[in-house]
Amino acid sequence: MAAAVNSPSGSTVDGRAARWQSHREERRRELIKSARKAVHTLGSDASMEDIAAAAGTSKSVFYRYFGDKAGLQQAVGEVVISQMQRRIQEAAQGAQTPREGLLAMVSAYLQMAETSPNVYTFVTTYAAGESGTATGGIAAAGALGHFFEEVRDMIERPMRAHLGAGKEAVIGYWPTAAIGLVRNAGEQWLGTPESAGKPDQETMARQITAWLCVGIAPELKTLDPHNPKP
C-alpha cells in the first residue's frame, strides 16, 4: 500500500505518486539528453525512430513523453536555448560599451550555434512529414520566441541608457531589426560549407557587429558622376 503523507493543511499527499512524478521528470531529462546527442551525431533530420534507436529505447517511449517530433524539438529547444541565453547574458555583462556588448552577444550566439549545427537546426526548424507529428510548424517556437525577446531586451537596455530620452523610434525598432540581421546572417554562415572564403567565427562576429553599428557604408564608394573612377 502506498505511503500517505499528511501536509500542514490536512490534505493527504500520495508519496508513491510524488516519487513517480519525480521519476518521470528524471526520465524525461534523460531522453532529452539522449535525443540531443543523437541529433548531434545523426543530423537535424534524424527521425524519431533513429533518435530512439540511438537512445537505446523505442520511439513509442518518446511519443509517450513528448507527444510527437515537434514536442521533442520543443523540449530539446527549451534546454538548448536556455543555455544559449545564459551564455549570451554572461558575455554581455562584461562589456564596457554598447558596441562591445553587441560583439559579445553575437560571438556567444555564433559559438553556441557552431558547437552543434545539427542541434541548432533541429530546434529552430520543423521537419515536415514525420509520422505522428500533428502540431504543425511550431517546433521550439515558444522557446525560440522567448529567447529572442530576452536578447532584444538585453540589446535595448544599454541603448536606452546610452541614447537617453527622445530616441524611442530607434529603441523601439532597431533591436528587433538587429536580431533579424544576426539570426539570418548567422544561420546562412552556419549552413555555408567550409571553404577558404568562409570567415571564421570571430571574423563573422566582428563583421555582423560592424553591419549593426555602421552598416555597409565603409564598403560603398562615392563616385564623382564626371569621373567614374574611385
Side-chain angles (χ1 to χ4, degrees):
M1 183 173 292
V5 180
N6 291 325
S7 69
S9 63
S11 61
T12 300
V13 178
D14 189 330
R16 184 168 61 185
R19 289 194 297 274
W20 174 243
Q21 179 62 27
S22 177
H23 169 75
R24 277 187 59 83
E25 291 172 357
E26 178 60 28
R27 179 59 170 153
R28 189 174 187 273
R29 286 192 291 269
E30 290 173 356
L31 290 172
I32 291 171
K33 186 176 181 180
S34 296
R36 184 175 179 176
K37 288 182 178 179
V39 170
H40 176 80
T41 302
L42 300 174
S44 60
D45 59 349
S47 68
M48 288 286 269
E49 188 169 2
D50 293 335
I51 292 170
T57 188
S58 66
K59 65 180 180 180
S60 63
V61 171
F62 276 91
Y63 283 126
R64 188 184 314 138
Y65 276 85
F66 305 103
D68 52 27
K69 187 174 181 180
L72 177 61
Q73 288 174 290
Q74 177 78 21
V76 176
E78 288 172 354
V79 173
V80 172
I81 290 166
S82 176
Q83 292 175 347
M84 290 182 71
Q85 184 175 320
R86 287 197 301 272
R87 176 68 184 87
I88 288 172
Q89 286 175 332
E90 291 169 358
Q93 284 172 355
Q96 300 298 313
T97 66
R99 180 161 182 162
E100 284 182 11
L102 285 172
L103 176 59
M105 286 188 282
V106 171
S107 295
Y109 172 74
L110 294 181
Q111 286 169 2
M112 290 290 287
E114 188 181 31
T115 297
S116 183
N118 288 338
V119 173
Y120 179 85
T121 302
F122 181 77
V123 303
T124 56
T125 59
Y126 169 68
E130 179 71 24
S131 176
T133 301
T135 52
I138 62 169
L144 191 65
H146 178 71
F147 167 69
F148 283 114
E149 285 177 7
E150 289 290 329
V151 174
R152 183 196 64 207
D153 291 344
M154 279 190 279
I155 294 173
E156 181 180 314
R157 284 192 291 272
M159 279 188 67
R160 192 175 297 280
H162 185 72
L163 297 178
K167 298 293 184 179
E168 290 304 315
V170 175
I171 295 171
Y173 291 97
W174 191 86
T176 301
I179 288 170
L181 190 155
V182 173
R183 183 180 178 188
N184 286 300
E187 290 181 0
Q188 182 175 339
W189 170 78
L190 200 64
T192 301
E194 293 298 327
S195 68
K198 182 180 179 179
D200 59 25
Q201 182 272 317
E202 181 180 355
T203 301
M204 192 65 198
R206 292 188 179 280
Q207 181 64 80
I208 290 175
T209 303
W211 287 335
L212 290 171
C213 294
V214 298
I216 61 169
E219 309 295 330
L220 301 177
K221 304 294 184 181
T222 303
L223 301 178
D224 182 336
H226 300 293
N227 181 17
K229 294 183 179 181

